[in-house]
Amino acid sequence: MNGLISSAPSQAAIRLTVSGFLLMQIQSALLLMSSSLDHDSGLLIWILTPLAVSAFVAALIGIPEPSETHWRQRHGR
């Protein structure tokens, strides 16, 4: 998969970026709606933040796709 900083980013990179930003927006909305954070809200924010950051980093760098021979070896062709 080509990352976002390549000349032709792949669809998977764009989808990862959009989903990462959506997770960040959900987190921000939760923070704005709560007057004070309780334990459950804080736990949800701590779970969503690394997911959003890792999706954005994976989209920027790009995840290598397996070669054609990898598929053929797994399926016996």
Side-chain angles (χ1 to χ4, degrees), residues 2 9 13 15 21 24-25 30 33 35 45 47 50 55 58 69 71 73 77:
N2 294 333
R15 288 179 184 154
F21 281 119
M24 285 185 201
Q25 287 179 350
L30 287 172
M33 287 191 291
S35 59
I45 291 168
I47 291 172
T69 58
W71 185 85
Q73 287 174 352
R77 295 183 183 189

Side-chain angles (χ1 to χ4, degrees), residues 10-42:
S10 64
Q11 287 183 355
I14 295 169
R15 288 179 184 154
L16 277 172
T17 304
V18 170
S19 64
F21 281 119
L22 285 175
L23 284 171
M24 285 185 201
Q25 287 179 350
I26 291 169
Q27 177 184 346
S28 298
L30 287 172
L31 281 172
L32 290 174
M33 287 191 291
S34 66
S35 59
S36 65
L37 291 176
D38 59 348
H39 178 69
D40 293 335
S41 298

